[in-house]
Amino acid sequence: MITKQTGFYEIGGGRGLQVAGARTRVIACANQKGGVGKTTTAVHLAVGLRRAGRRVRLIDLDPQRNAVLSLCEEDQDATSNGAWWVWSSCSEVELWSPAERSADLPASPDFDYVVLDCPPNLENSTQRALEASDHVLVPLQCEFLAMEGLTQILARVRATKPKGDARRTVHVLPVMLEPGSGLHQDILEDVWRHLADNICRTWIPRDPAFSEASSYGRSLFSQNIRSIGARAYAKLAREVEDGWT
């Protein structure tokens, strides 16, 4: 059950968990197509920001709990200093919209960023996450069907954005790129023509090390920090820090 009560969105029952204050940046990682690297992106962006010294909460909104499982063996003491959380939140979470946070909430003493890993659909929990976010990060696998899904998610983001509110921005992140693939190059050029202002400067290559790391319940930063995948997500974290306001 998803309800809106006294200015906040509550997913599930009970009093819920307030996830963000007025100065917290909320990033929803969303794509209704499964298997496009959405959870991998949410996990590694959250860990990358944490490694940069930021206070981060990663919230797993997917009933499959893949983000939680991907970090079940992560050395949280090494990344947290008491300020790192992975929350499986299919039950209780309060998602405040950016306008509500700015108007009604004090600066959060706890988190600089909240990263929401959305389920692979456009149903209620994803809808609420989009409404609560400052930034929507859309992982894009460079395939034709994934391009069709991109059109749908962009339309939904526009529909949830209050008129005149410029705070919610969309960032398209190309993932699973294979060097030398003509198809990937063609799709990237097409996306660039239509969404030049929204495409991330960072692109994520295909790296088998991601699957190995998740099988151990750890991020690639812990499993193989020198891998091309870890370096790419570290670059994405820097891009978020430097250019996302």
Side-chain angles (χ1 to χ4, degrees), residues 75-154:
D75 184 359
Q76 303 224 11
D77 290 337
T79 58
S80 69
N81 295 321
W84 165 258
W85 295 85
V86 181
W87 188 272
S88 181
S89 60
C90 299
S91 55
E92 298 178 354
V93 99
E94 295 171 11
L95 298 177
W96 300 70
S97 72
E100 289 164 338
R101 279 184 272 127
S102 296
D104 301 327
L105 294 177
S108 171
D110 295 322
F111 301 105
D112 299 305
Y113 293 96
V114 171
V115 180
L116 305 173
D117 182 28
C118 300
N121 57 53
L122 293 177
E123 297 176 2
N124 285 340
S125 58
T126 300
Q127 175 80 11
R128 297 310 187 202
L130 295 178
E131 292 171 353
S133 65
D134 301 288
H135 303 276
V136 180
L137 180 58
V138 184
L140 174 68
Q141 189 177 6
C142 292
E143 296 180 356
F144 173 74
L145 293 179
M147 287 290 294
E148 290 294 304
L150 177 62
T151 301
Q152 296 175 33
I153 189 73
L154 292 178

Side-chain angles (χ1 to χ4, degrees), residues 111-208:
F111 301 105
D112 299 305
Y113 293 96
V114 171
V115 180
L116 305 173
D117 182 28
C118 300
N121 57 53
L122 293 177
E123 297 176 2
N124 285 340
S125 58
T126 300
Q127 175 80 11
R128 297 310 187 202
L130 295 178
E131 292 171 353
S133 65
D134 301 288
H135 303 276
V136 180
L137 180 58
V138 184
L140 174 68
Q141 189 177 6
C142 292
E143 296 180 356
F144 173 74
L145 293 179
M147 287 290 294
E148 290 294 304
L150 177 62
T151 301
Q152 296 175 33
I153 189 73
L154 292 178
R156 181 59 62 92
V157 171
R158 286 193 293 269
T160 62
K161 187 173 183 177
K163 194 171 184 179
D165 186 353
R167 282 172 290 197
R168 185 178 304 136
T169 54
V170 177
H171 310 268
V172 179
L173 176 69
V175 298
M176 304 183 195
L177 288 178
E178 296 181 3
S181 169
L183 174 62
H184 287 189
Q185 186 62 38
D186 291 344
I187 290 177
L188 281 175
E189 290 176 358
D190 189 44
V191 173
W192 190 267
R193 279 195 299 270
H194 294 91
L195 295 168
D197 293 336
N198 301 96
I199 195 165
C200 294
R201 299 191 306 270
T202 304
W203 298 352
I204 309 300
R206 185 179 296 277
D207 187 349

